Amino acid sequence: MGLKATDKFATKAIHAGSHVDVHGSVIEPISLSTTFKQSAPAQPIGEYEYSRSQNPNRKNLEDAIAALENGKYGLAFSSGSATTSVILQSLPQGSHAVSIGDVYGGTHRYFTKVANTHGVETTFTNNLVEELPQLIKENTRLVWIESPTNPTLKVTDIGLVSQTIKSLKKDIILVVDNTFLSPYLSNPLNFGADIVVHSATKYINGHSDVVLGVLATNDKDIYERLQFLQNAIGAIPSPFDSWLVHRGLKTLHLRVRQAALNATKIAEFLASNENVIAVNYPGLPSSENFEVVKKQHRDALGGGMISFRIKGGAEAASKFSSSTRLFTLAESLGGIESLLEVPAVMTHGGIPKEQREASGVFDDLIRLSVGIEDSDDLLDDIKQALQGATN
Ligand SMILES: Cc1ncc(COP(=O)(O)O)c(C=O)c1O
């Protein structure tokens, strides 16, 4: 009995990639063996040969990711950054890439400090939709979108970017980093992306205890090339981590929906508070690009991430973030527990002030990763910290 094409997200999350083993185990065991028996030279008795090339737990996770992203193929890597690296290493020498300006700092670092040393140059733009046709060059091979962006949560119309690329009839792949929304809230492949990537460290695993990356695609050639590199480079996740992430994603729909509902309540409160200068939250009808959110996100939900500017500058931001009771001051996001951080001095501290302020990362910006604790308790925590920091 397998999944049907019409099965909904929650059913796929629970069953995709899950098999009953020879003992009837409802949850498949963790397969730690690095090598697999062969009956004659080059004739493995089953599907597997050597665990870097493929492993039962990684295969289950990859199948589940493909199903949740409406893709034919999934691949898992040792981190989100390793996933990015393998995609960029698949480009020919001398390629050009166009990326949204406001990408995750590690992705920016890879483009500007690693990919360029392998002959891949990148142009960044904060207005991708409008500027893309002028930025495409003869050697452009890749367009990179992160939506919503980190930490200012700007949403990009993936369909529009995909149409622009297709109209140019060039050999360009569109990659979307969907980490902030998770496959539950949006499926970029449905809007024309060629590859969707995730730091599964965040929502997909959801429990802040595994670093891992995944991608999905519908394109067989892209899949085969990336699978070749996955094995050749060897940046693969362990069986245990693959198993943990597979376990985590079975509750993705419940966790992400609750986080988004909690975040909506907090964002609405912040938007009406006199000590808040501005709120970035894609789920607010007043947010920029809400029309795109309605089209691209399940039930127009904004996800669990919010950023806001507090009155009182860097000092107030620091005071606020040190005085919450339930929100823990820490980097990362997407776990069941609520976290907060000050991007200007933490995740985005390495970006020159002028450059980061141009994309909205001011010293007074606070980023929240809203977890799935009780929403009233979370709101009370935000209220007391805001009052303490601004009075
Ligand atoms: C949007 C986004 N993409 C990619 C990454 C990199 O993922 P990892 O930390 O799993 O390498 C991160 C990490 O924070 C991220 O936030």
Side-chain angles (χ1 to χ4, degrees):
M1 294 285 278
L3 280 166
K4 289 198 301 185
T6 50
D7 283 332
K8 308 268 187 328
F9 191 95
T11 308
K12 291 196 278 187
I14 306 291
H15 293 288
S18 291
H19 311 282
V20 171
D21 78 348
V22 287
H23 306 295
S25 312
V26 170
I27 297 301
E28 235 178 304
I30 302 167
S31 174
L32 292 175
S33 187
T34 53
T35 190
F36 297 83
K37 184 178 161 103
Q38 311 202 3
S39 57
Q43 284 181 32
I45 61 167
E47 265 181 74
Y48 305 100
E49 259 172 69
Y50 182 61
S51 203
R52 168 162 42 74
S53 311
Q54 190 51 295
N55 162 282
N57 302 106
R58 193 171 97 216
K59 174 79 168 63
N60 293 344
L61 170 64
E62 293 178 342
D63 288 349
I65 292 296
L68 297 189
E69 277 293 10
N70 294 336
K72 288 197 184 110
Y73 313 102
L75 288 170
F77 298 88
S78 52
S79 66
S81 304
T83 315
T84 304
S85 141
V86 167
I87 294 171
L88 292 181
Q89 294 204 37
S90 74
L91 300 178
Q93 273 267 344
S95 298
H96 172 247
V98 179
S99 169
I100 202 147
D102 205 8
V103 273
Y104 165 61
T107 306
H108 188 271
R109 180 177 59 207
Y110 198 90
F111 275 126
T112 55
K113 297 209 162 76
V114 186
N116 58 337
T117 65
H118 301 146
V120 174
E121 293 302 329
T122 309
T123 307
F124 294 93
T125 168
N126 283 328
N127 192 358
L128 187 77
V129 170
E130 273 178 33
E131 291 180 3
L132 187 60
Q134 292 85 55
L135 296 176
I136 300 274
K137 302 184 197 176
E138 208 39 57
N139 58 341
T140 305
R141 292 285 170 272
L142 178 135
V143 174
W144 189 282
I145 293 177
E146 201 177 295
S147 182
T149 54
N150 175 15
T152 53
L153 302 160
K154 295 187 191 92
V155 171
T156 299
D157 190 332
I158 298 165
L160 216 52
V161 174
S162 160
Q163 275 169 24
T164 306
I165 294 173
K166 292 204 169 89
S167 70
L168 296 167
K169 297 203 173 4
K170 287 197 185 287
D171 185 16
I172 298 173
I173 54 171
L174 174 59
V175 183
V176 176
D177 185 333
N178 194 26
T179 298
F180 269 40
L181 292 180
S182 89
Y184 176 65
L185 290 187
S186 189
N187 294 124
L189 299 179
N190 293 0
F191 300 96
D194 299 297
I195 304 175
V196 52
V197 303
H198 288 272
S199 167
T201 314
K202 314 294 168 7
Y203 288 103
I204 291 181
N205 179 55
H207 294 74
S208 306
D209 50 13
V210 180
V211 173
L212 192 144
V214 293
L215 66 81
T217 180
N218 277 313
D219 186 310
K220 191 159 186 274
D221 291 342
I222 291 177
Y223 169 68
E224 285 175 353
R225 173 91 185 120
L226 296 175
Q227 189 187 36
F228 168 80
L229 291 173
Q230 180 196 41
N231 180 48
I233 294 170
I236 45 114
S238 72
F240 183 47
D241 283 352
S242 302
W243 185 90
L244 274 176
V245 173
H246 193 193
R247 177 170 78 161
L249 68 71
K250 287 170 194 271
T251 53
L252 182 68
H253 48 296
L254 303 175
R255 289 184 284 103
V256 170
R257 189 165 194 90
Q258 191 56 48
L261 296 175
N262 288 358
T264 304
K265 203 162 164 177
I266 292 170
E268 282 167 354
F269 163 76
L270 291 170
S272 65
N273 190 282
E274 56 180 13
N275 288 316
V276 172
I277 299 169
V279 179
N280 302 312
Y281 185 62
L284 290 177
S286 57
S287 74
E288 201 187 318
N289 272 350
F290 190 63
E291 286 309 307
V292 181
V293 171
K294 287 202 277 189
K295 195 168 61 176
Q296 248 167 230
H297 297 193
R298 185 187 296 269
D299 301 334
L301 288 169
M305 300 300 296
I306 304 173
S307 63
F308 69 98
R309 295 185 62 195
I310 190 169
K311 276 193 188 156
E315 201 186 320
S318 171
K319 208 166 162 196
F320 177 95
S321 48
S322 318
S323 55
T324 46
R325 180 176 71 90
L326 298 172
F327 281 80
T328 301
L329 179 57
E331 295 189 3
S332 201
L333 60 115
I336 48 175
E337 69 289 307
S338 295
L339 301 179
L340 90 169
E341 66 126 356
V342 180
V345 288
M346 295 173 68
T347 48
H348 293 63
I351 307 175
K353 189 174 165 86
E354 246 174 58
Q355 204 179 323
R356 81 175 146 71
E357 291 196 342
S359 58
V361 185
F362 296 95
D363 293 348
D364 54 14
L365 190 77
I366 295 166
R367 188 185 81 177
L368 305 177
S369 170
V370 181
I372 59 170
E373 300 92 335
D374 185 274
S375 63
D376 290 337
D377 294 338
L378 291 179
L379 193 57
D380 282 350
D381 194 23
I382 294 292
K383 283 182 185 167
Q384 66 80 18
L386 196 56
Q387 206 167 25
T390 52
N391 281 325

